[in-house]
Amino acid sequence: MGSTTKVQLDALRSEADSLDKILVGQVGEYAALKRYFELCWTDVQQGLQDNDAAIEFARYYDDKDTCYKYMAQVIRKGYEYPRLVYLCAEKDLPFTNISSNLPKLYKLVWQPLDTLLKGITTVYYSPDGRLSSVPFHALCSNDTAGCTYLIDQFTLHRLSTTRYLADSTLIKTKNLEGSIALFGGIQYDVLPDSTNRKKEESNEDFLLSNTLQRESTRGAMSYLPGTKAEVEGIAPLFKNLLWTTNLSTGTLATETAFKILSDTRSPSIIHIATHGFAFPDKDEKHKEGKGMMMMTANNQQQQYKAAEDPMLRCGLMFAGANLSWTGKQAEMLQKTGDDGILTAAEVSALDLSQTKLVVLSACETGLGKIEGSEGVFGLQRGFKLAGVEQLIVSLWSVPDKETMQLMTTFYSDLAITKDPVKSFARAQTKMRNNYPDNPEKWAGFVLVR
């Protein structure tokens, strides 16, 4: 503190630099980690081909206008510096009925980039803030029949960060093999059989229990018959490949059964077909975003007040979840050791590092709270922290029939290619061709790496 210690401070800095060099030279892991945090845009550029572009979207606060805005950084091979493009103010983005506002979204978040993408065939992009819920592949310049979508113009790759182009993450991704676990046709109203798994109530369970007891409106999750047909249709594809196939349905599709996957070598693929939920920030000021939006049996939306922790405001429903959802969580915990509601916070504490792909065939599994430059806190973040390489998540409530069609097409191709990126692109293109004027039926799912 102060100028009197400048000499001492300089000496300490010099010593720290010397020790740092020793660590870099003697500890390979430290050198690799240090290099990871020193990556810059030129390293991303080196990971691009001539026909590639990388787009890093950013949300920032403008003190002058006292509002949040969005910009995009575009990187191409040969650029001397990234091109920074202003997009729009957050208040101008549509917050509801996204599938009906694709032309408006195109003009706001993509049209300003058009001139920088001439000659580009492949785009790697990383969204931020509310752009995380935008289906970029379905953006189109007009709302007339036969409109051209971005999926028709580019090969699009959504990334958690464009850093992956620089640190070999995408190159290291291996094909799938070996094992798959599937959950679907879940009974939400029936108390699952008790297990021998000894488990004390976690902090996440306790906090969510308090929220549910305070805010419960007795709304219950409806049974999803299409999800049983979905998982039962997928399982044989991999059994024929002699994969280890673990199928959990009805009262056997428990939260405990899912968590046990972390106790051993986690399967290569995990597919979960169930109800999902995403609580907005309880202080959200936008009228359309107040409360938690949850689809129920009669397709009417009910509003719930959110918990403080954003990682508790996103989750998946497993067997018996309705008991906890409607205020009987203590009974669930006593009989089974879990409450049947798997939050993003609980997912993040698991070890799923051997899992290459998680498919969340559920409503609104890709959503969560916006946390400034930290992206979206939600199930995406939870599974990434658990070590999962790739996820397929939904951006809105997707129709049951079309979801099953998409998933069946995807897995049929995946059983052959073992490559989720290629198979998902093919499945989505096929659905786009089947429903060219109905993007709400095929654009709701996105693959995130």
Side-chain angles (χ1 to χ4, degrees), residues 265-430:
R265 181 183 173 89
S266 59
S268 187
I269 304 174
I270 299 176
H271 180 98
I272 308 172
T274 185
H275 281 292
F277 62 89
F279 291 78
D281 188 341
K282 70 175 183 177
D283 296 323
E284 178 62 69
K285 302 302 181 185
H286 300 288
K287 180 179 179 181
E288 298 91 344
K290 286 184 179 179
M292 184 193 81
M293 307 308 292
M294 186 66 210
M295 297 304 294
T296 56
N298 56 10
N299 285 332
Q300 293 180 345
Q301 296 178 330
Q302 297 183 338
Q303 297 186 346
Y304 295 84
K305 197 173 180 180
E308 291 294 332
D309 185 349
M311 296 290 277
L312 294 175
R313 294 202 295 268
C314 298
L316 298 168
M317 301 301 205
F318 286 86
N322 275 343
L323 295 174
S324 295
W325 198 250
T326 56
K328 299 178 181 178
Q329 190 189 48
E331 182 181 353
M332 272 286 291
L333 287 167
Q334 182 180 5
K335 295 289 183 64
T336 71
D338 274 310
D339 60 6
I341 303 171
L342 182 72
T343 65
E346 291 175 295
V347 172
S348 68
L350 303 177
D351 178 7
L352 301 175
S353 55
Q354 299 302 314
T355 299
K356 306 299 181 185
L357 173 68
V358 167
V359 179
L360 302 179
S361 182
C363 296
E364 300 178 333
T365 50
L367 305 184
K369 180 191 175 186
I370 299 169
E371 286 285 352
S373 61
E374 291 300 311
V376 175
F377 278 93
L379 285 165
Q380 282 185 56
R381 175 64 60 90
F383 278 100
K384 279 290 184 179
L385 289 173
V388 175
E389 286 185 0
Q390 303 165 93
L391 296 100
I392 294 177
V393 297
S394 62
L395 304 177
W396 58 67
S397 298
V398 184
D400 229 12
K401 175 186 173 183
E402 285 74 20
T403 295
M404 188 164 63
Q405 289 177 354
L406 175 68
M407 292 302 168
T408 301
T409 303
F410 167 65
Y411 278 109
S412 296
D413 195 78
L414 184 65
I416 299 171
T417 67
K418 310 295 192 303
D419 186 331
V421 177
K422 289 182 180 178
S423 294
F424 185 72
R426 291 174 182 173
Q428 203 151 49
T429 299
K430 182 175 180 179

Side-chain angles (χ1 to χ4, degrees), residues 58 89 92 116 121 161 254 281 429 431:
D92 295 329
L116 299 178
T121 57
T161 168
T254 63
D281 188 341
T429 299
M431 292 292 291

Side-chain angles (χ1 to χ4, degrees), residues 111-122:
Q111 189 170 341
L113 308 174
D114 272 344
T115 57
L116 299 178
L117 299 176
K118 294 188 182 304
I120 291 297
T121 57
T122 301

